[in-house]
Amino acid sequence: MRGPLGPVIGRYTSSDGSTQMGGIIKHNRKCRDIAFLVFFIAFWVAMIVNSSFGFNQGNPLRLTFGLDYKGNVCGDKHANPGLRELELRYWLNPNQVYQSGLKDSQFNLANARSICLLDCPTPSDDSLNWVCDYPEGEIRLSMEDWIDRNYDYFEFLTPEMRNTSLQLQGPCYPVIFPSVNVYWSCQFIARASNMSLRHWQQMGGVKINEDIVIDKSIHRSINARSSVLKRYMADIGKSWPVLIVCGGLLPLLLSVVWLLLIRHFVAAMPWITVALFNVLIISVTMFYYLKAGWIGNDAISPIIGEHDAYTRVYGRELNHIRAVAVFMTFIMVVSILASIAIIRRILMATSVLKVAAKVIGEVQALIIFPVMPYAILAIFYMFWLSAALHLFSSGQVVQNNCNSNCCSYNLALKKVNCDQCCGYSVHYTPHIAVAIFFHLFGCYWATQFIIACSATVIAGSVASYYWARGETSPEVPFLPVFSSMKRLIRYSLGSIALGSLVVSFVESIRFILESVRRKLKVITSTPDGFFGKATFHSSQFLLRCIEWTLKSVNRNAYIMIAITGKSFCRASAIATELIFSNILRIGRVNVIGDVILSLGKLCVSLSSALFAFLMLDSHKYRSAHNKVSSPLLPVLVCWGLGYVVASLFFAVVEMSIDTIILSFCQDSEEHQGTAQYAPPLLMETLNDQTRTIPSSVLFGGRVGVGGGIVAGEKSPHQSSRLSKGEDPQFLLRVGSLGPDFSLF
């Protein structure tokens, strides 16, 4: 058992029993968990090195645009030749595309000859159109002239070149099939132009296959999982103005407004929060329905620009957004039912929030303080996001090793070349996946570290208020927020690094176990077998244990670090012991307050998601260069950023409540069960909310230190205060037991 810690500010009892001045905040502090602070700094050095690799090897253009047959990224102005504004990948040889779509074919679409164009070619109604290779060698045309001529210089070809072109070996190729721009690739529509095909046959061209396979081959490549993932990452880069406005500025404004309202209209805020939450979650769900095509005619489309109204092309993104719409429907129903269930508890939340509002009114710098960690996180996220885009697009462009017939005319060599005619692709080595995971882990750890630092500073400030009895005292610093920040930087950064590392590590393990569980569920051919069941239930049990551990070591440990200056592990043990010894006294009051605060955070984040939908629905993000493939990931990122920003600001209220309650528990334990420093409003709240206890507890226990109940002993007030004739099975009011007896 641990000994008494003494009050934080004011007088404390020394080991010899004498009363001294100072308190724990000013006395007996030293640097804690230094090794983990050194590890955190070393980790950040590794993060910088890891990011520099991404900046050196990556090219975010690869996430959106494909490679031509020379290995150039379409749209890259530094390529040779310059491909500025030539962003669409077009496959020249339709027979190669057809061959790549056959089931038993060894020919890959990546090896088919492709170039970058400004727009997708269409067949002519009365003649035969041509698309020719980049001009070089004997073709004396600039890239600008080549574009102006619609990529056609067939009339300038020598007889030999015309003959090879009729053999589908270039340098010019016929436009037989119409094509549409699908995510910056020209997808063929397996509906050959009869006029163009007739002209081609009259000129003596080789047979061109007209099967539906030519359509499916390109469609399969565009909808590959790797291609979809790249487009999702590219969407983040394109929608950066949306992220700044809806993921940064809007939640900042809404969070500050919420804090001001909770300060001045505390009685109405729980009701407003619950009602607004229901409206917002319904609105966001309806937007998902709109984009899924279940309401109206505004479903997302993979086709970019103008196209035939009868042309239908479907992508994985539509399936994903429909799956999220179904999930949001379930969340919406559960949330509405849960909000209805807590209506009777809202008055309890109002009383709890009054305590926090009182603290905010006394320590007004708490409203402004979260702007500092917000600015730090904003700068970090901008750096991290840029590095993430480069890491996801990193890799080496290498030529494929193919044994297929890919012969084509080389204008520079002036002959048909069958050597090294394979296409190019981006080669990703295993260490890139490790670098990406390391980068993601670093983001989560840094976020948890900054949030923990902010929470600890707030806890130290509120503790100063509590132990001064909510009054001005010469022992309370003039600027408690800055004094708390100074103590954090000087003594406790190592403890915060350890705590945030534990949270990040536990979440990472949870993510890995969930991934393994899903893979085993898919791979196992006999899901009802012993191994499948054992693996499933074991992973589920581990996930629940990890989740419980995560919640146990989170913010209460940071509060005790701010109060006592102990190391993370010691502070966590103290906080856990205090909570368990007073669980009946504080549990119900604290939980309902946390529910309302969580709904408030969700209101801010849902507002961010809703405005992100509205911004992404503008013309800028629905067509041409900045078109996002799906609003799904940008909206989810704005949702997440909004929640992080709201967590920083709502921590003012959250940590105020938790710090005061833990301080109350510590105060009660130091003074034999009677808190000496508790503000009157807190005592009134605890007494008002302590309504009922089981009579079996009353007749079998007494009040212990800190309000707990010791089994086997009766309450001293029991015989004198209990009314005659009452059934011991009913729930009795705690107020009838006297002022010293309270629960929850």
Side-chain angles (χ1 to χ4, degrees), residues 647-683:
S647 297
L648 288 175
F649 284 86
F650 280 56
V652 173
V653 179
E654 201 170 23
M655 296 302 291
S656 296
I657 295 174
D658 291 345
T659 303
I660 286 180
I661 288 179
L662 276 180
S663 298
F664 174 81
C665 296
Q666 177 64 35
D667 192 7
S668 299
E669 184 166 328
E670 293 290 340
H671 298 93
Q672 290 73 45
T674 302
Q676 299 292 325
Y677 289 83
L681 183 59
L682 176 63
M683 296 300 298

mmCIF file of all heavy atoms in Angstrom, residues 647-683:
data_model
loop_
_atom_site.group_PDB
_atom_site.id
_atom_site.type_symbol
_atom_site.label_atom_id
_atom_site.label_comp_id
_atom_site.label_asym_id
_atom_site.label_seq_id
_atom_site.Cartn_x
_atom_site.Cartn_y
_atom_site.Cartn_z
ATOM 1 N N SER A 647 -10.508 17.250 -29.629
ATOM 2 C CA SER A 647 -9.947 16.620 -28.429
ATOM 3 C C SER A 647 -9.023 17.571 -27.694
ATOM 4 O O SER A 647 -8.981 17.591 -26.452
ATOM 5 C CB SER A 647 -9.196 15.334 -28.801
ATOM 6 O OG SER A 647 -10.076 14.386 -29.369
ATOM 7 N N LEU A 648 -8.248 18.369 -28.447
ATOM 8 C CA LEU A 648 -7.353 19.336 -27.811
ATOM 9 C C LEU A 648 -8.137 20.365 -27.005
ATOM 10 O O LEU A 648 -7.759 20.708 -25.876
ATOM 11 C CB LEU A 648 -6.510 20.042 -28.876
ATOM 12 C CG LEU A 648 -5.409 19.227 -29.555
ATOM 13 C CD1 LEU A 648 -4.767 20.039 -30.667
ATOM 14 C CD2 LEU A 648 -4.354 18.804 -28.544
ATOM 15 N N PHE A 649 -9.213 20.874 -27.571
ATOM 16 C CA PHE A 649 -9.968 21.931 -26.902
ATOM 17 C C PHE A 649 -10.934 21.364 -25.866
ATOM 18 O O PHE A 649 -11.100 21.949 -24.790
ATOM 19 C CB PHE A 649 -10.725 22.754 -27.946
ATOM 20 C CG PHE A 649 -9.836 23.700 -28.710
ATOM 21 C CD1 PHE A 649 -9.154 23.280 -29.841
ATOM 22 C CD2 PHE A 649 -9.666 25.003 -28.292
ATOM 23 C CE1 PHE A 649 -8.336 24.135 -30.540
ATOM 24 C CE2 PHE A 649 -8.846 25.876 -28.983
ATOM 25 C CZ PHE A 649 -8.174 25.446 -30.118
ATOM 26 N N PHE A 650 -11.559 20.242 -26.176
ATOM 27 C CA PHE A 650 -12.486 19.659 -25.218
ATOM 28 C C PHE A 650 -11.749 19.070 -24.028
ATOM 29 O O PHE A 650 -12.366 18.811 -22.992
ATOM 30 C CB PHE A 650 -13.332 18.579 -25.897
ATOM 31 C CG PHE A 650 -14.474 19.114 -26.698
ATOM 32 C CD1 PHE A 650 -14.269 20.036 -27.709
ATOM 33 C CD2 PHE A 650 -15.772 18.707 -26.446
ATOM 34 C CE1 PHE A 650 -15.312 20.529 -28.450
ATOM 35 C CE2 PHE A 650 -16.833 19.198 -27.186
ATOM 36 C CZ PHE A 650 -16.604 20.121 -28.197
ATOM 37 N N ALA A 651 -10.446 18.865 -24.176
ATOM 38 C CA ALA A 651 -9.661 18.386 -23.038
ATOM 39 C C ALA A 651 -9.683 19.386 -21.899
ATOM 40 O O ALA A 651 -9.460 19.014 -20.736
ATOM 41 C CB ALA A 651 -8.219 18.113 -23.473
ATOM 42 N N VAL A 652 -9.947 20.658 -22.198
ATOM 43 C CA VAL A 652 -10.059 21.662 -21.144
ATOM 44 C C VAL A 652 -11.177 21.268 -20.183
ATOM 45 O O VAL A 652 -11.011 21.284 -18.958
ATOM 46 C CB VAL A 652 -10.317 23.059 -21.747
ATOM 47 C CG1 VAL A 652 -10.602 24.070 -20.650
ATOM 48 C CG2 VAL A 652 -9.133 23.505 -22.583
ATOM 49 N N VAL A 653 -12.332 20.902 -20.716
ATOM 50 C CA VAL A 653 -13.453 20.480 -19.873
ATOM 51 C C VAL A 653 -13.226 19.069 -19.339
ATOM 52 O O VAL A 653 -13.440 18.786 -18.154
ATOM 53 C CB VAL A 653 -14.772 20.550 -20.673
ATOM 54 C CG1 VAL A 653 -15.942 20.085 -19.823
ATOM 55 C CG2 VAL A 653 -15.012 21.960 -21.179
ATOM 56 N N GLU A 654 -12.781 18.189 -20.224
ATOM 57 C CA GLU A 654 -12.599 16.783 -19.856
ATOM 58 C C GLU A 654 -11.589 16.627 -18.731
ATOM 59 O O GLU A 654 -11.846 15.955 -17.720
ATOM 60 C CB GLU A 654 -12.150 16.015 -21.101
ATOM 61 C CG GLU A 654 -12.383 14.545 -21.040
ATOM 62 C CD GLU A 654 -12.133 13.907 -22.399
ATOM 63 O OE1 GLU A 654 -11.398 14.498 -23.219
ATOM 64 O OE2 GLU A 654 -12.681 12.832 -22.635
ATOM 65 N N MET A 655 -10.432 17.257 -18.905
ATOM 66 C CA MET A 655 -9.390 17.146 -17.891
ATOM 67 C C MET A 655 -9.749 17.920 -16.631
ATOM 68 O O MET A 655 -9.305 17.558 -15.535
ATOM 69 C CB MET A 655 -8.061 17.636 -18.458
ATOM 70 C CG MET A 655 -7.528 16.804 -19.614
ATOM 71 S SD MET A 655 -7.294 15.066 -19.207
ATOM 72 C CE MET A 655 -5.929 15.164 -18.059
ATOM 73 N N SER A 656 -10.522 18.975 -16.773
ATOM 74 C CA SER A 656 -10.965 19.709 -15.579
ATOM 75 C C SER A 656 -11.815 18.810 -14.691
ATOM 76 O O SER A 656 -11.602 18.732 -13.471
ATOM 77 C CB SER A 656 -11.762 20.951 -15.989
ATOM 78 O OG SER A 656 -10.945 21.863 -16.697
ATOM 79 N N ILE A 657 -12.761 18.115 -15.300
ATOM 80 C CA ILE A 657 -13.625 17.222 -14.524
ATOM 81 C C ILE A 657 -12.814 16.092 -13.901
ATOM 82 O O ILE A 657 -12.911 15.813 -12.698
ATOM 83 C CB ILE A 657 -14.739 16.662 -15.421
ATOM 84 C CG1 ILE A 657 -15.662 17.788 -15.893
ATOM 85 C CG2 ILE A 657 -15.535 15.591 -14.691
ATOM 86 C CD1 ILE A 657 -16.699 17.345 -16.907
ATOM 87 N N ASP A 658 -11.987 15.435 -14.721
ATOM 88 C CA ASP A 658 -11.232 14.283 -14.218
ATOM 89 C C ASP A 658 -10.217 14.684 -13.159
ATOM 90 O O ASP A 658 -10.012 13.967 -12.174
ATOM 91 C CB ASP A 658 -10.527 13.580 -15.376
ATOM 92 C CG ASP A 658 -11.505 12.885 -16.304
ATOM 93 O OD1 ASP A 658 -12.664 12.715 -15.896
ATOM 94 O OD2 ASP A 658 -11.114 12.531 -17.424
ATOM 95 N N THR A 659 -9.557 15.827 -13.361
ATOM 96 C CA THR A 659 -8.557 16.271 -12.390
ATOM 97 C C THR A 659 -9.202 16.623 -11.062
ATOM 98 O O THR A 659 -8.686 16.270 -9.987
ATOM 99 C CB THR A 659 -7.794 17.485 -12.939
ATOM 100 O OG1 THR A 659 -7.196 17.149 -14.189
ATOM 101 C CG2 THR A 659 -6.702 17.914 -11.971
ATOM 102 N N ILE A 660 -10.324 17.311 -11.103
ATOM 103 C CA ILE A 660 -11.004 17.675 -9.865
ATOM 104 C C ILE A 660 -11.493 16.424 -9.136
ATOM 105 O O ILE A 660 -11.384 16.319 -7.907
ATOM 106 C CB ILE A 660 -12.171 18.634 -10.171
ATOM 107 C CG1 ILE A 660 -11.615 20.018 -10.511
ATOM 108 C CG2 ILE A 660 -13.129 18.735 -9.000
ATOM 109 C CD1 ILE A 660 -12.661 21.038 -10.839
ATOM 110 N N ILE A 661 -12.015 15.456 -9.892
ATOM 111 C CA ILE A 661 -12.513 14.239 -9.246
ATOM 112 C C ILE A 661 -11.369 13.430 -8.640
ATOM 113 O O ILE A 661 -11.467 12.935 -7.504
ATOM 114 C CB ILE A 661 -13.316 13.408 -10.256
ATOM 115 C CG1 ILE A 661 -14.648 14.099 -10.555
ATOM 116 C CG2 ILE A 661 -13.565 12.003 -9.734
ATOM 117 C CD1 ILE A 661 -15.511 13.389 -11.564
ATOM 118 N N LEU A 662 -10.252 13.288 -9.373
ATOM 119 C CA LEU A 662 -9.105 12.569 -8.804
ATOM 120 C C LEU A 662 -8.512 13.327 -7.621
ATOM 121 O O LEU A 662 -8.086 12.723 -6.628
ATOM 122 C CB LEU A 662 -8.042 12.348 -9.883
ATOM 123 C CG LEU A 662 -8.240 11.136 -10.789
ATOM 124 C CD1 LEU A 662 -7.119 11.035 -11.804
ATOM 125 C CD2 LEU A 662 -8.328 9.857 -9.987
ATOM 126 N N SER A 663 -8.481 14.648 -7.731
ATOM 127 C CA SER A 663 -8.001 15.442 -6.597
ATOM 128 C C SER A 663 -8.932 15.281 -5.405
ATOM 129 O O SER A 663 -8.486 15.234 -4.248
ATOM 130 C CB SER A 663 -7.906 16.921 -7.003
ATOM 131 O OG SER A 663 -6.972 17.108 -8.045
ATOM 132 N N PHE A 664 -10.217 15.198 -5.673
ATOM 133 C CA PHE A 664 -11.185 14.972 -4.610
ATOM 134 C C PHE A 664 -10.936 13.624 -3.930
ATOM 135 O O PHE A 664 -10.985 13.511 -2.694
ATOM 136 C CB PHE A 664 -12.596 15.027 -5.204
ATOM 137 C CG PHE A 664 -13.679 14.664 -4.233
ATOM 138 C CD1 PHE A 664 -14.153 15.588 -3.318
ATOM 139 C CD2 PHE A 664 -14.221 13.385 -4.238
ATOM 140 C CE1 PHE A 664 -15.155 15.242 -2.422
ATOM 141 C CE2 PHE A 664 -15.219 13.040 -3.350
ATOM 142 C CZ PHE A 664 -15.690 13.969 -2.436
ATOM 143 N N CYS A 665 -10.673 12.606 -4.724
ATOM 144 C CA CYS A 665 -10.375 11.284 -4.156
ATOM 145 C C CYS A 665 -9.111 11.330 -3.307
ATOM 146 O O CYS A 665 -9.057 10.772 -2.197
ATOM 147 C CB CYS A 665 -10.227 10.254 -5.266
ATOM 148 S SG CYS A 665 -11.724 9.967 -6.220
ATOM 149 N N GLN A 666 -8.077 11.998 -3.827
ATOM 150 C CA GLN A 666 -6.834 12.112 -3.080
ATOM 151 C C GLN A 666 -7.045 12.917 -1.799
ATOM 152 O O GLN A 666 -6.536 12.574 -0.724
ATOM 153 C CB GLN A 666 -5.767 12.785 -3.948
ATOM 154 C CG GLN A 666 -4.434 13.035 -3.255
ATOM 155 C CD GLN A 666 -3.756 11.741 -2.853
ATOM 156 O OE1 GLN A 666 -3.875 10.748 -3.564
ATOM 157 N NE2 GLN A 666 -3.065 11.740 -1.730
ATOM 158 N N ASP A 667 -7.829 13.986 -1.903
ATOM 159 C CA ASP A 667 -8.136 14.824 -0.742
ATOM 160 C C ASP A 667 -8.875 14.015 0.320
ATOM 161 O O ASP A 667 -8.581 14.104 1.521
ATOM 162 C CB ASP A 667 -8.983 16.013 -1.210
ATOM 163 C CG ASP A 667 -9.122 17.088 -0.146
ATOM 164 O OD1 ASP A 667 -8.467 16.974 0.898
ATOM 165 O OD2 ASP A 667 -9.897 18.042 -0.374
ATOM 166 N N SER A 668 -9.837 13.215 -0.106
ATOM 167 C CA SER A 668 -10.588 12.388 0.839
ATOM 168 C C SER A 668 -9.682 11.373 1.523
ATOM 169 O O SER A 668 -9.785 11.130 2.733
ATOM 170 C CB SER A 668 -11.726 11.666 0.112
ATOM 171 O OG SER A 668 -12.626 12.586 -0.447
ATOM 172 N N GLU A 669 -8.784 10.782 0.763
ATOM 173 C CA GLU A 669 -7.899 9.786 1.346
ATOM 174 C C GLU A 669 -6.916 10.403 2.324
ATOM 175 O O GLU A 669 -6.571 9.812 3.343
ATOM 176 C CB GLU A 669 -7.145 9.046 0.239
ATOM 177 C CG GLU A 669 -6.279 7.916 0.758
ATOM 178 C CD GLU A 669 -5.820 7.001 -0.351
ATOM 179 O OE1 GLU A 669 -6.568 6.834 -1.330
ATOM 180 O OE2 GLU A 669 -4.720 6.450 -0.235
ATOM 181 N N GLU A 670 -6.474 11.608 2.042
ATOM 182 C CA GLU A 670 -5.532 12.278 2.923
ATOM 183 C C GLU A 670 -6.192 12.714 4.234
ATOM 184 O O GLU A 670 -5.515 12.881 5.242
ATOM 185 C CB GLU A 670 -4.948 13.515 2.226
ATOM 186 C CG GLU A 670 -4.054 13.204 1.039
ATOM 187 C CD GLU A 670 -2.745 12.571 1.465
ATOM 188 O OE1 GLU A 670 -2.367 12.703 2.640
ATOM 189 O OE2 GLU A 670 -2.095 11.932 0.613
ATOM 190 N N HIS A 671 -7.502 12.896 4.221
ATOM 191 C CA HIS A 671 -8.192 13.441 5.397
ATOM 192 C C HIS A 671 -9.264 12.478 5.903
ATOM 193 O O HIS A 671 -10.379 12.902 6.231
ATOM 194 C CB HIS A 671 -8.799 14.811 5.068
ATOM 195 C CG HIS A 671 -7.770 15.834 4.682
ATOM 196 N ND1 HIS A 671 -7.417 16.062 3.370
ATOM 197 C CD2 HIS A 671 -6.993 16.662 5.433
ATOM 198 C CE1 HIS A 671 -6.481 16.999 3.327
ATOM 199 N NE2 HIS A 671 -6.203 17.382 4.555
ATOM 200 N N GLN A 672 -8.950 11.201 5.924
ATOM 201 C CA GLN A 672 -9.789 10.177 6.524
ATOM 202 C C GLN A 672 -11.225 10.191 5.994
ATOM 203 O O GLN A 672 -12.195 10.072 6.744
ATOM 204 C CB GLN A 672 -9.811 10.301 8.052
ATOM 205 C CG GLN A 672 -8.502 9.932 8.724
ATOM 206 C CD GLN A 672 -7.427 10.994 8.513
ATOM 207 O OE1 GLN A 672 -7.693 12.190 8.654
ATOM 208 N NE2 GLN A 672 -6.228 10.561 8.174
ATOM 209 N N GLY A 673 -11.377 10.370 4.670
ATOM 210 C CA GLY A 673 -12.675 10.234 4.042
ATOM 211 C C GLY A 673 -13.442 11.521 3.871
ATOM 212 O O GLY A 673 -14.500 11.522 3.241
ATOM 213 N N THR A 674 -12.952 12.633 4.427
ATOM 214 C CA THR A 674 -13.643 13.915 4.297
ATOM 215 C C THR A 674 -12.752 14.886 3.530
ATOM 216 O O THR A 674 -11.672 15.245 4.001
ATOM 217 C CB THR A 674 -13.973 14.507 5.673
ATOM 218 O OG1 THR A 674 -14.768 13.573 6.402
ATOM 219 C CG2 THR A 674 -14.749 15.813 5.519
ATOM 220 N N ALA A 675 -13.198 15.276 2.336
ATOM 221 C CA ALA A 675 -12.398 16.190 1.517
ATOM 222 C C ALA A 675 -12.375 17.574 2.150
ATOM 223 O O ALA A 675 -13.425 18.127 2.497
ATOM 224 C CB ALA A 675 -12.971 16.263 0.106
ATOM 225 N N GLN A 676 -11.179 18.140 2.296
ATOM 226 C CA GLN A 676 -11.021 19.453 2.910
ATOM 227 C C GLN A 676 -10.911 20.581 1.891
ATOM 228 O O GLN A 676 -11.198 21.738 2.206
ATOM 229 C CB GLN A 676 -9.765 19.448 3.801
ATOM 230 C CG GLN A 676 -9.810 18.455 4.933
ATOM 231 C CD GLN A 676 -10.853 18.822 5.975
ATOM 232 O OE1 GLN A 676 -11.098 19.999 6.249
ATOM 233 N NE2 GLN A 676 -11.506 17.806 6.543
ATOM 234 N N TYR A 677 -10.466 20.244 0.664
ATOM 235 C CA TYR A 677 -10.187 21.284 -0.322
ATOM 236 C C TYR A 677 -11.234 21.342 -1.437
ATOM 237 O O TYR A 677 -11.117 22.155 -2.340
ATOM 238 C CB TYR A 677 -8.812 21.058 -0.953
ATOM 239 C CG TYR A 677 -7.659 21.329 -0.021
ATOM 240 C CD1 TYR A 677 -7.231 20.356 0.880
ATOM 241 C CD2 TYR A 677 -7.009 22.557 -0.034
ATOM 242 C CE1 TYR A 677 -6.187 20.598 1.742
ATOM 243 C CE2 TYR A 677 -5.951 22.802 0.826
ATOM 244 C CZ TYR A 677 -5.545 21.823 1.716
ATOM 245 O OH TYR A 677 -4.507 22.075 2.564
ATOM 246 N N ALA A 678 -12.231 20.470 -1.393
ATOM 247 C CA ALA A 678 -13.195 20.401 -2.490
ATOM 248 C C ALA A 678 -14.031 21.675 -2.563
ATOM 249 O O ALA A 678 -14.532 22.153 -1.538
ATOM 250 C CB ALA A 678 -14.119 19.198 -2.295
ATOM 251 N N PRO A 679 -14.205 22.239 -3.765
ATOM 252 C CA PRO A 679 -15.068 23.410 -3.914
ATOM 253 C C PRO A 679 -16.509 23.050 -3.554
ATOM 254 O O PRO A 679 -16.953 21.917 -3.751
ATOM 255 C CB PRO A 679 -14.946 23.761 -5.403
ATOM 256 C CG PRO A 679 -13.689 23.098 -5.854
ATOM 257 C CD PRO A 679 -13.558 21.866 -5.022
ATOM 258 N N PRO A 680 -17.283 23.995 -3.025
ATOM 259 C CA PRO A 680 -18.679 23.704 -2.641
ATOM 260 C C PRO A 680 -19.513 23.175 -3.803
ATOM 261 O O PRO A 680 -20.367 22.313 -3.613
ATOM 262 C CB PRO A 680 -19.186 25.071 -2.156
ATOM 263 C CG PRO A 680 -17.955 25.820 -1.746
ATOM 264 C CD PRO A 680 -16.877 25.369 -2.664
ATOM 265 N N LEU A 681 -19.271 23.689 -5.026
ATOM 266 C CA LEU A 681 -20.050 23.239 -6.173
ATOM 267 C C LEU A 681 -19.828 21.757 -6.455
ATOM 268 O O LEU A 681 -20.742 21.035 -6.839
ATOM 269 C CB LEU A 681 -19.697 24.074 -7.413
ATOM 270 C CG LEU A 681 -20.484 23.766 -8.689
ATOM 271 C CD1 LEU A 681 -21.970 23.976 -8.453
ATOM 272 C CD2 LEU A 681 -19.992 24.641 -9.842
ATOM 273 N N LEU A 682 -18.581 21.280 -6.255
ATOM 274 C CA LEU A 682 -18.298 19.864 -6.453
ATOM 275 C C LEU A 682 -19.022 19.009 -5.417
ATOM 276 O O LEU A 682 -19.622 17.974 -5.753
ATOM 277 C CB LEU A 682 -16.788 19.613 -6.378
ATOM 278 C CG LEU A 682 -16.346 18.154 -6.474
ATOM 279 C CD1 LEU A 682 -16.727 17.573 -7.819
ATOM 280 C CD2 LEU A 682 -14.847 18.020 -6.230
ATOM 281 N N MET A 683 -18.976 19.433 -4.152
ATOM 282 C CA MET A 683 -19.665 18.679 -3.111
ATOM 283 C C MET A 683 -21.166 18.640 -3.373
ATOM 284 O O MET A 683 -21.821 17.606 -3.197
ATOM 285 C CB MET A 683 -19.375 19.316 -1.745
ATOM 286 C CG MET A 683 -17.904 19.257 -1.349
ATOM 287 S SD MET A 683 -17.281 17.567 -1.242
ATOM 288 C CE MET A 683 -18.320 16.917 0.062
#
